Amino acid sequence: MSVRAAVVGLGWAGRELWLPRLTEHAGFDVVSVVDPAPTARAALDAAPGAAVHPSVDALTAHAVDLAVVAVPNHLHAQVAAELLAKGISVFLEKPVCLTADEADTLAAAERAGGATLLAGSAAPHRADVGALAGLLPSLGRIRHAELSWVRARGIPQAGGWFTQRSKAGGGVLFDLGWHLLDTLASLLGPARFTQVVGVTSNDFVGTGAWSAAWRQDEPAAGARGDVEDTARGFLVRDDGVSVCLSAGWASHEARDVTRIQLAGSAATAELTCTFGFSPNRHPHARLTLTREGTTTALPVPDEPIGTEYRRQLDGLAEALADPGRRGRAVGDARTTVRVIEDFYASARRAHEQTAVPAHQ
């Protein structure tokens, strides 16, 4: 029996990522779409049989099994909590919430409605990430991880909500950084971070010249971004694993590159690829294993861009039916948002120290 799904939000993610994949997937039946903008609803053609609504008020647990929420970041927790409280299960991609308080709101709504919040990034569902995970038993005890996702030019909609802290919560750390943290948790298991040192910068976000042209976003007139476009940090998990994290919407690199290195007591594995949909990418992922001075290139499955999103949907119906999943997504999100809050706090302290005049 198909899962009756509603897509809430017809921005880029709802329109380009989730609506077509849900419509094509045999396990889902798109019964409703929700967006307050008449222009967005009028452009709907991927699910011609779906009911169209201006708000989630029209959705009921009797008609909808799962709502895929793809609204701007600052509305994630509000919209998801409203649906959960009504007994409608929700799938949220990153960021699940923007603060620890919002995580508490989601947890309360999940309990009150008896529904389930599902969440997670698509990146851990990539075949090349799966191949990297397959090497973990041969690495010994993991001591250190390096994760980076740095684009050449990839700022989403310069001046739009993505680059406004009041609506996005932050910049690249809430965007690409959340994906990287989700991927790390999928590889090594979830863990709290006991130490966080980070710095941020915004050298590129103020101009449309560094925008993600492949998203086909129109620059927002009169608005300027006030978030970071680059974040670099050093973190320590409560299991003793140290982590270098680097995320950048723009840089002076020639290509958009994602790199994950796992250093263990027995060997080191490294995956170099490009997450996401940018066409400015490495044509093939590269996976290597280094042991005692010898580096070996290993085969990596090749798959079309975006396959990880379809694979993510494959497991959603099963997860929805598992009562043990209730509360897990909120717990994971609370861990992630806390490390992001600690990262920003560290970056603020670093900025304040460098802003002090040299003679003081």
Side-chain angles (χ1 to χ4, degrees):
M1 183 175 177
S2 296
V3 174
R4 298 169 300 172
V7 176
V8 181
L10 292 178
W12 185 85
R15 186 182 68 251
E16 301 293 334
L17 287 183
W18 297 114
L19 188 58
R21 286 168 176 78
L22 286 163
T23 303
E24 295 164 2
H25 200 289
F28 294 87
D29 180 19
V30 179
V31 296
S32 299
V33 293
V34 178
D35 197 286
T39 52
R41 303 197 306 272
L44 177 66
D45 56 12
V52 181
H53 306 292
S55 78
V56 296
D57 292 342
L59 303 184
T60 68
H62 296 293
V64 176
D65 302 312
L66 180 70
V68 177
V69 174
V71 296
N73 291 2
H74 70 293
L75 297 175
H76 276 195
Q78 173 188 326
V79 172
E82 182 177 346
L83 291 164
L84 289 166
K86 294 168 66 171
I88 300 173
S89 292
V90 171
F91 172 76
L92 267 176
E93 210 192 6
K94 61 81 200 164
V96 176
C97 54
L98 301 184
T99 64
D101 286 344
E102 287 190 352
D104 293 340
T105 298
L106 288 169
E110 194 179 37
R111 290 192 300 268
T116 301
L117 175 66
L118 301 174
S121 302
H125 299 271
R126 291 173 57 97
D128 49 14
V129 173
L132 175 62
L135 295 178
L136 282 168
S138 66
L139 302 183
R141 183 170 179 177
I142 302 301
R143 299 295 189 181
H144 180 68
E146 295 188 13
L147 303 100
S148 67
W149 184 356
V150 177
R151 292 173 176 166
R153 293 172 183 260
I155 298 173
Q157 193 181 16
W161 70 261
F162 239 116
T163 60
Q164 297 178 43
R165 187 169 302 278
S166 62
K167 295 182 179 180
V172 70
L173 193 57
F174 264 111
D175 184 22
L176 309 189
W178 195 297
H179 281 298
L180 292 173
L181 291 167
D182 269 1
T183 303
L184 179 67
S186 76
L187 290 167
L188 303 187
R192 293 185 306 107
F193 290 86
T194 59
Q195 300 179 57
V196 179
V197 177
V199 293
T200 61
S201 56
N202 58 354
D203 298 321
F204 307 101
V205 76
T207 171
W210 299 89
S211 64
W214 49 271
R215 281 179 56 102
Q216 299 178 339
D217 287 329
E218 290 294 329
R224 291 183 62 83
D226 62 352
V227 299
E228 82 286 352
D229 53 54
T230 304
R232 302 178 179 94
F234 186 84
L235 307 80
V236 180
R237 293 170 30 123
D238 61 7
D239 58 4
V241 176
S242 58
V243 179
C244 281
L245 181 72
S246 179
W249 274 337
S251 69
H252 296 289
E253 298 297 324
R255 293 180 183 272
D256 297 1
V257 179
T258 308
R259 178 175 167 269
I260 302 172
Q261 183 188 89
L262 301 176
S265 58
T268 296
E270 181 173 307
L271 172 65
T272 302
C273 58
T274 304
F275 283 3
F277 290 85
S278 168
N280 184 29
R281 61 197 303 116
H282 278 280
H284 303 287
R286 184 171 186 266
L287 179 63
T288 61
L289 182 71
T290 301
R291 179 182 285 114
E292 297 182 0
T294 300
T295 298
T296 304
L298 302 174
V300 185
D302 200 7
E303 60 186 7
I305 297 173
T307 300
E308 63 269 29
Y309 288 87
R310 295 185 179 90
R311 192 173 290 122
Q312 189 175 22
L313 288 179
D314 291 342
L316 274 188
E318 182 179 350
L320 191 61
D322 179 8
R325 293 297 293 263
R326 191 166 298 150
R328 190 185 306 177
V330 174
D332 292 343
R334 185 179 285 109
T335 297
T336 301
V337 80
R338 280 177 175 164
V339 73
I340 289 177
E341 289 175 335
D342 289 345
F343 195 112
Y344 281 138
S346 176
R348 284 193 298 271
R349 288 193 297 269
H351 176 73
E352 290 166 359
Q353 290 169 0
T354 58
V356 175
H359 66 273
Q360 293 188 4

